[in-house]
Each structure stands twice: as structure tokens, then as C-alpha cells.
Amino acid sequence: MTPSHFLPPLLLIGSNIVMTFAWYGHLKRPGWAMWMAILISWGMAFFEYCLAVPANRIGYEGGAYSGQQLKVMQEVITLSVFAGFSVLVLGEPLRWTYVAAMGCLVAAVVFIFLPVD
């Protein structure tokens, strides 16, 4: 297994953790002014891009993944990270409907990685 195979998922996990906090972390700070939440979130997004862009370039240019595979992988990682965030940070229960939706996305991963030949 080459770095172009294992680095993209690891970098995408890191980027999604940062982006989840950028997009939703401010919900735990209702006293912040909107402009403050936007500026802090925007600043955090810079670091998310510092992980996501290399993840996609390494995976794509290394020939390990197609653009479509990288996108579907990113979506599943995003929802997985958010599931943990919503439970651990926001204190929301993980409903069966969320788990069912994740199952559908896992099916999408299976389909996108099937050989086309």
C-alpha cells in the first residue's frame, strides 16, 4: 500500500474534524456575535483546506483514487465525524434515521469502488 492510498483518508478525517468544529462548534457559543462566529469559523477553515487539498491531490495524482471516489469517501467521513460530534459535543442522540442514512452512504462507497471493467 502506497502513501497515495492511505494518506488521503487520514488527511480527510483530519480535515473533517476541523471543518465540523468550524461549521458547528459555534452552536455551543450562542453568546458570540454572528460576525465573531463567522470569522472564527473562516479562520478554522483555512486549516481544513491545508488538509483537504493535499488529501485530494495525493490520492488523485498518485493514481490511487478517482475524483468520484475521493468525493464519496469524503462524504462518508464527514457524516461519520459529524455523528461523533453531534453526540459528544452537541449532546444529541444518534437516531436510527441517521444510522440508516449512513448505511446508504456506505452502499454508495461500495458502488463507487466496484471495478468498471
Side-chain angles (χ1 to χ4, degrees), residues 18-82:
V18 173
M19 202 58 180
T20 297
F21 275 93
W23 282 359
Y24 301 100
H26 61 87
L27 297 177
K28 294 299 280 184
R29 306 279 187 232
W32 284 1
M34 185 67 73
W35 65 267
M36 182 185 291
I38 291 168
L39 286 179
I40 290 171
S41 295
W42 183 77
M44 292 173 74
F46 169 78
F47 296 102
E48 184 270 340
Y49 275 74
C50 289
L51 296 171
V53 171
N56 290 312
R57 289 196 106 174
I58 291 167
Y60 190 80
E61 291 177 359
Y65 303 107
S66 69
Q68 295 168 359
Q69 289 171 328
L70 286 163
K71 181 58 182 172
V72 169
M73 184 188 319
Q74 185 269 331
E75 293 299 334
V76 170
I77 291 169
T78 296
L79 285 179
S80 299
V81 167
F82 187 78

Side-chain angles (χ1 to χ4, degrees), residues 75-83 94-109:
E75 293 299 334
V76 170
I77 291 169
T78 296
L79 285 179
S80 299
V81 167
F82 187 78
L94 193 59
R95 299 182 348 222
W96 74 267
T97 54
Y98 195 93
V99 175
M102 278 299 295
C104 293
L105 283 173
V106 169
V109 170

Side-chain angles (χ1 to χ4, degrees), residues 4-16:
S4 62
H5 283 92
F6 69 84
L7 277 179
L10 293 176
L11 290 169
L12 287 172
I13 289 168
S15 76
N16 276 280

